[in-house]
Amino acid sequence: MKKTIVHLESLQKNFGGLVAVNIDSLDIYKNSITGLIGPNGAGKTTLFNVICGNLKPENGDVYFLEEKITSLKTFQIARLGIGRVFQISRIFKGLSVRDNLFLVPSKNTNLEVISKRIESLLNDFGLIDFSDNYAGILSYGQQKMLEFARILMMDPKIILLDEPFSGLNPGEVEKLIKIIRKLNSETDIAFLIIDHAVSIVLRLCERVVVLDQGKIIADGLPNEIEKNERCIEAYLGRPFDV
Amino acid sequence: MGIQVVINGILLAGVYTVAAVGLNLIFGVLRVANIAHGEFLMLGAFLFFSLTAVVGISPFISFVFVGVLIFLLALAVERFLVERVVKQPMAISLLLLYGVSIFFKNLGLNIWTSNYRSINIINRTISVGGLSVSLIRIIIFFIAIGLTIGLAVLLKKTYIGKAIRSTTQNPELTVACGVDIKKVRMFTFALGAILAAFSGCFFIMIYSITPEVGSSIILKLFAVVIVGGLGSYLGTFLGALVIALAEVLTSFYISTQFGDVAIFAVFLLVLIIRPQGFLGERQYV
Amino acid sequence: MKDSEKNNSIKKVIVFFLIVLSLVILPYFLSSYRISFFITIFMYVVLAYSWNFISGYTGYVSFGQIVFFGLGAYAFAILTSNFGMNWGLAVVLAAIISSLFAVPIGLVMLRLKGPYFAVGMMGLSQFLAAIAFNWKSLTNGAVGIYLPPVFSLSTIYYAFLGAMIAIFLLTWKLENSNFGLRIKTIKEDEEGAEAIGINTTFYKVFAFTISACFCGIAGALQIYYLSYIDPYVAINMSLNLMMIAMSLVGGMGTMWGPLVGALMLGQLSEFLWVSFPYIYMIIFGCIIVVIIAFLPSGIVGYVTQYTQYRKDRMNNLIKN
């Protein structure tokens, strides 16, 4: 029986008259790699915003490990273990690379342990040479690496990735896929990934959820989704009846 | 007596609306909170004063002159100063315009001293069924409405008006359509400034003011825009009504200084409870 | 590497102590007029650092920190004249009162973004001024309150010196601690900071309160010095402007910026106020405009960026 890490119940989010998200029930399982796809405006990023507390839903609740987190503030949700990597790199460019990691609140307060952790993360992500430089001088790919390193400082139990592959060249895409797979197998971090590159998502994720106009229209294995007519319709539109 | 005060309040709202609409325009296009707006109002008022009362030019011609002069001045301010900071965080442009306002305010105090000035063009009052209102206020109200309508026409029908509206909604797309957005910014800033200046002319015909009027009025104008809602012109008039009425009623029934307290209280309350105002668009908040 | 770093730190601490020591001894050699001059400069430094603490580091630019100066000022005046309190205690209480007000004000106002916060604070300071004018039973309105004159200027000198050292050290701690790093993230990217678990509200309000506390102390001491208060003196808009200008010119969000700015503009203003009062403000307006337009990170900011840029270039060259 798979254990649930994030559970959405009767979740509804409106913007004025527009229903952005309308999900009866959704479970994200521990240590899973789940993809979240759908055409533009389907509500994917809005869903992330609701889960992370940036937006409050009109109806329904978000549960994290059986705890209701709907009314919590963003930083509290982050500290519980929900990490988020945004579409646009949000590292602190005016601070040093090391400081970007150093300031992350973590449960451990032992300075030595934290320093060691930072060193090892910087090493793993190829940033050790830039430790004392302003994060702003890093290349785009390196900034993404830094974001990952930073998220890991938080000891997250699930990482929400919003379009992580956008702007990366094929080599970097492979690298990122490797990192995600490695983290998923070595730790028990779950991943929930939004991306427009459907092919990458189908390749990487063990389960894919498809959103269209706020509702889940499909949920299953990648090869099932690939063949699912409703999904194809959602992306490409219905053919004209001649 | 109370109704009289209310009528004066409504007429005052007209004046506030003109200036506040200018503020709204500037924010919409440049994304800049023009803290120097009050100073443009002051400059308009006192230039009008100097031209009319000191040099002796007819008020109508002075009015036009004021428009032209302030337009040119504002163009220069935008082109050489504001333009440099439009891409930076709002704090920077705020500080820049703060400096500009300090500069102009003290320049005004230097030129015109801190004496109270006023212009009395028409001294007649109209009496209707027990109420008497000064004719000049009524005329000004209608000119203010005329200006607002003129502005609406400009925004709807002319090329520059459409450019302004589209820049307010989507700057990138506007540039992609081949519009010279820098010119739009310059024009809008100058347009906003002359609206403030005209409002100043009205002011000095109704009240006695000193060059300090800029600092005291800028907060009221922000209050108007915030209460009414950024981005909505009808909202601006409503906001002006609220603020003007709050001001005149408290001034009349309690004291003038309490008028100020009341306005600031309304302003702070709205900021806190409903920053988007009556009809404003949430995205700005 | 570690040894020379240690040596450096020891040197810095020694220099710091020497400077403080000389400032402590200074009054014995100075005339009353000179001591007054230093008192004014110290006050400027305190105000500049206070403004910098919130506006420079969190990015929430306040156009009305003077409101706390005013609160501290009136608190001091009322405590000493109505309650006959000892001046030292009154200053401490004034600081506490300013801080206590700062928390709810901060919680409310710091929810507002950019221009709303700036103008909101400006509105708040005018609001306080209006209250000061109207609540005559408490503040005596525009007539003001007269306090017994001070005989020992040195006392005020040392009080301001203490406040100056305190806020300086607090700023130093901000620049050199994890706590301070988190405050800085608010300016960089508040939402991003929240996403990694930083309680931005707490850090914002903290910085705001420290700022308010020291503005309150400055206000109280200023009133002690002047032996008089009225709404203009308490909610002193030209001081409000000075606070902002000094930090700006020196460099917002830097360790030394407010000091450089306070010293430069402090000198300039003392020199200028002898001449026509309105011209002096015109020049200030110009200075702000010019600095923002051409040197937005201030003198210290510019110098730091330049040296950092060269350091980074050297780094890159060495690696390649």
Side-chain angles (χ1 to χ4, degrees), chain A residues 79-135:
Chain A
R79 289 205 196 176
L80 282 177
I82 299 185
R84 182 174 178 180
V85 176
F86 292 85
Q87 219 165 325
I88 308 169
S89 166
R90 283 190 108 139
I91 56 163
F92 301 121
K93 296 194 177 133
L95 302 179
S96 77
V97 168
R98 177 178 281 119
D99 281 340
N100 261 275
L101 299 182
F102 188 47
L103 53 77
V104 178
S106 60
K107 291 162 200 126
N108 206 316
T109 46
N110 186 323
L111 213 61
E112 267 209 55
V113 174
I114 293 180
S115 293
K116 279 218 177 95
R117 190 112 199 269
I118 294 178
E119 293 299 312
S120 86
L121 280 171
L122 287 177
N123 260 316
D124 289 340
F125 285 93
L127 297 167
I128 193 75
D129 291 327
F130 301 96
S131 307
D132 292 310
N133 292 59
Y134 281 132

Coordinates of all heavy atoms in Angstrom, one line a residue, chain A residues 79-135:
Chain A
R79 N 9.0 24.9 5.7 CA 9.7 24.2 6.8 C 9.3 22.8 7.1 O 10.0 22.0 7.6 CB 9.6 25.1 8.1 CG 10.4 26.3 8.0 CD 10.8 26.8 9.3 NE 11.2 28.2 9.2 CZ 11.5 29.0 10.3 NH1 11.4 28.5 11.5 NH2 11.8 30.2 10.1
L80 N 8.0 22.6 6.9 CA 7.5 21.2 7.1 C 8.1 20.2 6.2 O 8.2 19.0 6.5 CB 6.0 21.2 6.9 CG 5.1 21.7 8.1 CD1 3.6 21.7 7.7 CD2 5.4 21.0 9.3
G81 N 8.6 20.7 5.0 CA 9.3 19.8 4.1 C 8.8 19.8 2.7 O 9.1 18.9 1.9
I82 N 8.0 20.8 2.3 CA 7.6 20.9 0.9 C 8.5 22.0 0.3 O 8.5 23.2 0.6 CB 6.2 21.4 0.8 CG1 5.3 20.3 1.4 CG2 5.8 21.6 -0.7 CD1 3.8 20.6 1.3
G83 N 9.4 21.5 -0.6 CA 10.3 22.4 -1.3 C 9.8 22.8 -2.6 O 9.0 22.0 -3.2
R84 N 10.1 24.0 -3.1 CA 9.6 24.4 -4.4 C 10.7 25.0 -5.2 O 11.4 25.9 -4.7 CB 8.5 25.3 -4.2 CG 7.9 25.8 -5.5 CD 6.7 26.6 -5.3 NE 6.1 27.1 -6.6 CZ 5.1 27.8 -6.7 NH1 4.4 28.2 -5.6 NH2 4.6 28.2 -7.9
V85 N 10.9 24.6 -6.4 CA 11.8 25.2 -7.3 C 11.0 25.9 -8.4 O 10.2 25.3 -9.1 CB 12.8 24.2 -7.9 CG1 13.7 24.9 -8.9 CG2 13.6 23.5 -6.8
F86 N 11.2 27.2 -8.5 CA 10.3 28.0 -9.4 C 10.8 27.9 -10.9 O 11.9 27.5 -11.2 CB 10.3 29.5 -9.0 CG 9.6 29.7 -7.7 CD1 10.3 29.5 -6.5 CD2 8.3 30.1 -7.7 CE1 9.7 29.8 -5.3 CE2 7.7 30.3 -6.5 CZ 8.4 30.2 -5.3
Q87 N 9.9 28.4 -11.7 CA 10.2 28.4 -13.1 C 11.5 29.3 -13.4 O 12.4 28.9 -14.1 CB 9.1 29.1 -13.9 CG 8.7 28.4 -15.2 CD 7.4 28.8 -15.6 OE1 6.4 29.0 -14.9 NE2 7.2 28.9 -16.9
I88 N 11.4 30.5 -12.9 CA 12.6 31.4 -13.1 C 13.5 31.3 -11.8 O 13.0 31.2 -10.7 CB 12.1 32.9 -13.1 CG1 11.0 33.0 -14.2 CG2 13.3 33.8 -13.5 CD1 10.3 34.3 -14.1
S89 N 14.7 31.2 -12.1 CA 15.7 30.9 -11.0 C 15.5 32.0 -9.9 O 15.6 33.2 -10.2 CB 17.1 31.0 -11.5 OG 18.0 31.0 -10.5
R90 N 15.4 31.5 -8.7 CA 15.2 32.5 -7.6 C 16.3 32.4 -6.5 O 16.0 32.6 -5.4 CB 13.8 32.2 -6.9 CG 12.7 32.7 -7.7 CD 11.4 32.6 -7.0 NE 11.0 33.9 -6.6 CZ 9.8 34.3 -6.6 NH1 8.8 33.5 -7.0 NH2 9.4 35.5 -6.3
I91 N 17.5 32.2 -7.0 CA 18.6 32.3 -6.0 C 18.8 33.8 -5.7 O 18.4 34.6 -6.4 CB 19.8 31.7 -6.6 CG1 20.2 32.3 -7.9 CG2 19.6 30.2 -6.8 CD1 21.6 32.1 -8.4
F92 N 19.5 34.0 -4.6 CA 19.8 35.3 -4.2 C 21.1 35.8 -4.9 O 22.2 35.5 -4.4 CB 19.9 35.4 -2.7 CG 18.6 35.0 -2.0 CD1 18.7 33.9 -1.1 CD2 17.4 35.6 -2.3 CE1 17.5 33.5 -0.5 CE2 16.3 35.2 -1.6 CZ 16.3 34.1 -0.7
K93 N 20.9 36.6 -6.0 CA 22.1 36.9 -6.8 C 23.1 37.8 -6.1 O 24.2 37.8 -6.4 CB 21.6 37.6 -8.1 CG 20.8 36.7 -8.9 CD 20.6 37.2 -10.3 CE 19.8 36.1 -11.1 NZ 18.7 36.7 -11.9
G94 N 22.6 38.6 -5.1 CA 23.5 39.6 -4.5 C 24.2 39.0 -3.3 O 25.1 39.6 -2.7
L95 N 23.9 37.7 -3.0 CA 24.7 37.0 -1.9 C 25.6 36.0 -2.5 O 25.4 35.6 -3.6 CB 23.7 36.4 -0.9 CG 22.6 37.3 -0.3 CD1 21.7 36.4 0.6 CD2 23.2 38.4 0.5
S96 N 26.5 35.6 -1.7 CA 27.5 34.6 -2.2 C 26.8 33.2 -2.3 O 25.8 33.0 -1.7 CB 28.7 34.5 -1.3 OG 28.4 33.7 -0.1
V97 N 27.5 32.4 -3.1 CA 26.9 31.1 -3.4 C 26.8 30.3 -2.0 O 25.8 29.7 -1.7 CB 27.8 30.3 -4.4 CG1 27.5 28.8 -4.4 CG2 27.7 30.9 -5.7
R98 N 27.8 30.4 -1.2 CA 27.8 29.7 0.0 C 26.7 30.3 0.9 O 25.9 29.5 1.6 CB 29.1 29.8 0.8 CG 29.1 29.1 2.1 CD 30.4 29.1 2.9 NE 31.3 28.1 2.4 CZ 32.4 28.3 1.9 NH1 32.9 29.5 1.7 NH2 33.2 27.3 1.5
D99 N 26.6 31.6 1.0 CA 25.5 32.2 1.8 C 24.2 31.8 1.4 O 23.3 31.6 2.2 CB 25.7 33.7 1.8 CG 26.8 34.2 2.7 OD1 27.2 33.5 3.6 OD2 27.2 35.3 2.5
N100 N 24.0 31.6 0.1 CA 22.7 31.1 -0.4 C 22.2 29.9 0.3 O 21.1 29.6 0.6 CB 22.7 30.9 -1.9 CG 22.2 32.1 -2.7 OD1 21.0 32.2 -2.9 ND2 23.0 33.0 -3.1
L101 N 23.2 29.0 0.6 CA 22.9 27.8 1.3 C 22.9 28.0 2.8 O 22.1 27.4 3.5 CB 23.9 26.7 0.9 CG 24.0 26.3 -0.5 CD1 25.0 25.2 -0.7 CD2 22.7 25.8 -1.1
F102 N 23.8 28.8 3.2 CA 24.0 29.0 4.7 C 22.7 29.5 5.4 O 22.4 29.2 6.5 CB 25.2 29.9 4.9 CG 25.6 30.1 6.3 CD1 25.8 28.9 7.1 CD2 25.8 31.3 6.9 CE1 26.2 29.0 8.4 CE2 26.3 31.4 8.2 CZ 26.5 30.3 8.9
L103 N 22.0 30.4 4.7 CA 20.9 31.0 5.4 C 19.6 30.2 5.4 O 18.6 30.6 6.0 CB 20.6 32.4 4.7 CG 20.4 32.5 3.2 CD1 19.0 32.0 2.8 CD2 20.5 33.9 2.7
V104 N 19.6 29.1 4.8 CA 18.4 28.3 4.8 C 18.1 27.7 6.2 O 19.0 27.1 6.8 CB 18.5 27.1 3.8 CG1 17.3 26.2 3.9 CG2 18.8 27.6 2.4
P105 N 17.0 28.0 6.7 CA 16.7 27.5 8.1 C 16.6 26.0 8.1 O 16.0 25.4 7.2 CB 15.3 28.0 8.4 CG 15.0 29.1 7.4 CD 15.8 28.7 6.2
S106 N 17.3 25.4 9.0 CA 17.2 23.9 9.1 C 17.1 23.5 10.5 O 17.5 24.3 11.4 CB 18.4 23.2 8.4 OG 19.6 23.7 9.0
K107 N 16.7 22.3 10.7 CA 16.5 21.9 12.1 C 17.8 21.8 12.9 O 17.9 22.0 14.1 CB 15.8 20.5 12.2 CG 14.3 20.7 11.6 CD 13.7 19.4 11.2 CE 12.6 19.6 10.3 NZ 12.7 18.9 9.0
N108 N 18.8 21.4 12.2 CA 20.1 21.3 12.8 C 20.8 22.7 13.1 O 20.9 23.5 12.2 CB 21.0 20.5 11.9 CG 22.1 19.8 12.7 OD1 22.7 20.4 13.5 ND2 22.3 18.5 12.3
T109 N 21.2 22.9 14.3 CA 21.9 24.2 14.5 C 23.4 24.1 14.7 O 24.0 25.1 15.0 CB 21.2 24.9 15.7 OG1 21.1 24.0 16.8 CG2 19.9 25.5 15.4
N110 N 23.9 23.0 14.6 CA 25.3 22.8 14.8 C 26.1 23.4 13.6 O 25.9 22.9 12.4 CB 25.6 21.3 14.9 CG 27.1 21.0 15.3 OD1 28.0 21.7 14.7 ND2 27.3 20.1 16.1
L111 N 26.9 24.4 13.8 CA 27.6 25.1 12.7 C 28.4 24.2 11.9 O 28.5 24.3 10.7 CB 28.4 26.2 13.3 CG 28.5 27.4 12.4 CD1 27.1 28.0 12.2 CD2 29.4 28.5 13.1
E112 N 29.1 23.3 12.6 CA 30.1 22.4 11.8 C 29.3 21.5 10.9 O 29.7 21.3 9.8 CB 30.8 21.5 12.8 CG 32.2 22.1 13.2 CD 33.2 21.0 13.6 OE1 33.4 20.1 12.8 OE2 33.7 21.1 14.8
V113 N 28.2 20.9 11.4 CA 27.4 20.0 10.6 C 26.9 20.7 9.4 O 26.9 20.2 8.2 CB 26.2 19.4 11.4 CG1 25.3 18.6 10.5 CG2 26.8 18.6 12.6
I114 N 26.4 22.0 9.6 CA 25.9 22.7 8.5 C 26.9 23.0 7.5 O 26.8 22.9 6.3 CB 25.2 24.1 9.0 CG1 24.0 23.7 9.9 CG2 24.9 25.0 7.9 CD1 23.3 25.0 10.4
S115 N 28.1 23.5 8.0 CA 29.2 23.8 7.0 C 29.6 22.6 6.2 O 29.8 22.7 5.0 CB 30.4 24.3 7.8 OG 30.2 25.5 8.4
K116 N 29.7 21.4 6.9 CA 30.0 20.2 6.1 C 29.0 19.9 5.1 O 29.3 19.6 3.9 CB 30.1 19.0 7.1 CG 31.4 18.9 7.9 CD 31.8 17.4 8.1 CE 33.1 17.3 8.8 NZ 32.9 17.1 10.2
R117 N 27.8 20.1 5.4 CA 26.7 19.8 4.5 C 26.8 20.7 3.3 O 26.6 20.3 2.2 CB 25.4 20.1 5.3 CG 24.1 19.7 4.6 CD 23.4 18.5 5.3 NE 22.5 17.9 4.2 CZ 21.3 18.3 4.1 NH1 20.8 19.2 4.9 NH2 20.5 17.8 3.1
I118 N 27.0 22.0 3.6 CA 27.2 23.0 2.5 C 28.3 22.5 1.6 O 28.1 22.5 0.3 CB 27.4 24.4 3.0 CG1 26.2 24.9 3.8 CG2 27.7 25.4 1.9 CD1 26.4 26.2 4.4
E119 N 29.4 22.2 2.2 CA 30.6 21.8 1.3 C 30.2 20.6 0.4 O 30.5 20.6 -0.8 CB 31.8 21.4 2.2 CG 32.4 22.5 3.1 CD 32.9 23.6 2.2 OE1 33.7 23.3 1.2 OE2 32.6 24.8 2.5
S120 N 29.6 19.6 1.0 CA 29.3 18.4 0.2 C 28.3 18.7 -0.9 O 28.4 18.3 -2.0 CB 28.8 17.3 1.1 OG 27.5 17.3 1.4
L121 N 27.3 19.6 -0.6 CA 26.3 19.9 -1.6 C 27.0 20.7 -2.7 O 26.7 20.5 -3.9 CB 25.2 20.7 -1.0 CG 24.1 19.9 -0.3 CD1 23.1 20.8 0.5 CD2 23.3 19.1 -1.3
L122 N 27.8 21.6 -2.3 CA 28.5 22.4 -3.4 C 29.3 21.6 -4.3 O 29.4 21.7 -5.5 CB 29.3 23.5 -2.7 CG 28.6 24.7 -2.1 CD1 29.6 25.7 -1.4 CD2 27.8 25.4 -3.2
N123 N 30.0 20.6 -3.6 CA 30.8 19.7 -4.4 C 29.9 18.8 -5.4 O 30.2 18.7 -6.6 CB 31.5 18.7 -3.5 CG 32.9 19.1 -3.3 OD1 33.6 19.5 -4.2 ND2 33.4 19.1 -2.0
D124 N 28.8 18.3 -4.8 CA 28.0 17.4 -5.7 C 27.4 18.2 -6.9 O 27.2 17.6 -7.9 CB 26.8 17.0 -4.8 CG 27.2 15.9 -3.8 OD1 28.3 15.3 -4.0 OD2 26.4 15.7 -2.8
F125 N 27.2 19.5 -6.7 CA 26.5 20.2 -7.8 C 27.5 21.0 -8.6 O 27.2 21.9 -9.4 CB 25.4 21.1 -7.2 CG 24.2 20.3 -6.9 CD1 24.0 19.9 -5.6 CD2 23.2 20.0 -7.8 CE1 22.9 19.1 -5.2 CE2 22.1 19.3 -7.5 CZ 21.9 18.9 -6.2
G126 N 28.8 20.8 -8.3 CA 29.8 21.4 -9.2 C 30.0 22.9 -8.9 O 30.4 23.6 -9.8
L127 N 29.7 23.4 -7.7 CA 29.7 24.8 -7.5 C 30.8 25.2 -6.5 O 31.0 26.3 -6.1 CB 28.4 25.3 -6.9 CG 27.2 25.1 -7.8 CD1 25.9 25.3 -7.1 CD2 27.2 26.1 -9.0
I128 N 31.6 24.2 -6.1 CA 32.6 24.5 -5.0 C 33.6 25.5 -5.3 O 34.0 26.3 -4.5 CB 33.3 23.1 -4.6 CG1 34.0 23.3 -3.3 CG2 34.3 22.7 -5.7 CD1 33.1 23.4 -2.1
D129 N 33.9 25.7 -6.6 CA 34.9 26.7 -7.0 C 34.3 28.1 -6.9 O 35.0 29.1 -6.9 CB 35.3 26.5 -8.4 CG 36.2 25.3 -8.6 OD1 36.9 25.0 -7.6 OD2 36.1 24.6 -9.6
F130 N 33.0 28.2 -6.8 CA 32.4 29.5 -6.8 C 31.8 29.9 -5.4 O 31.1 30.9 -5.3 CB 31.2 29.6 -7.8 CG 31.7 29.3 -9.2 CD1 31.6 28.0 -9.7 CD2 32.2 30.3 -10.0 CE1 32.0 27.7 -11.0 CE2 32.6 30.0 -11.3 CZ 32.5 28.7 -11.8
S131 N 32.2 29.2 -4.4 CA 31.6 29.3 -3.1 C 31.5 30.8 -2.6 O 30.5 31.2 -2.1 CB 32.4 28.6 -2.0 OG 32.6 27.3 -2.4
D132 N 32.6 31.5 -2.8 CA 32.6 32.9 -2.3 C 32.2 34.0 -3.3 O 32.2 35.1 -3.0 CB 34.0 33.2 -1.7 CG 34.2 32.3 -0.5 OD1 33.3 32.3 0.4 OD2 35.3 31.7 -0.4
N133 N 31.8 33.6 -4.5 CA 31.4 34.6 -5.5 C 30.0 34.9 -5.3 O 29.2 34.2 -4.8 CB 31.6 34.0 -6.9 CG 33.1 33.9 -7.2 OD1 33.8 33.1 -6.5 ND2 33.6 34.6 -8.2
Y134 N 29.6 36.1 -5.8 CA 28.2 36.4 -5.9 C 27.5 35.4 -6.8 O 27.9 35.1 -7.8 CB 28.0 37.8 -6.5 CG 28.3 39.0 -5.6 CD1 29.1 40.0 -6.0 CD2 27.8 39.0 -4.3 CE1 29.4 41.1 -5.2 CE2 28.1 40.1 -3.5 CZ 28.9 41.1 -3.9 OH 29.2 42.1 -3.1
A135 N 26.3 35.0 -6.3 CA 25.6 34.0 -7.1 C 25.2 34.5 -8.4 O 24.9 33.7 -9.4 CB 24.4 33.5 -6.3

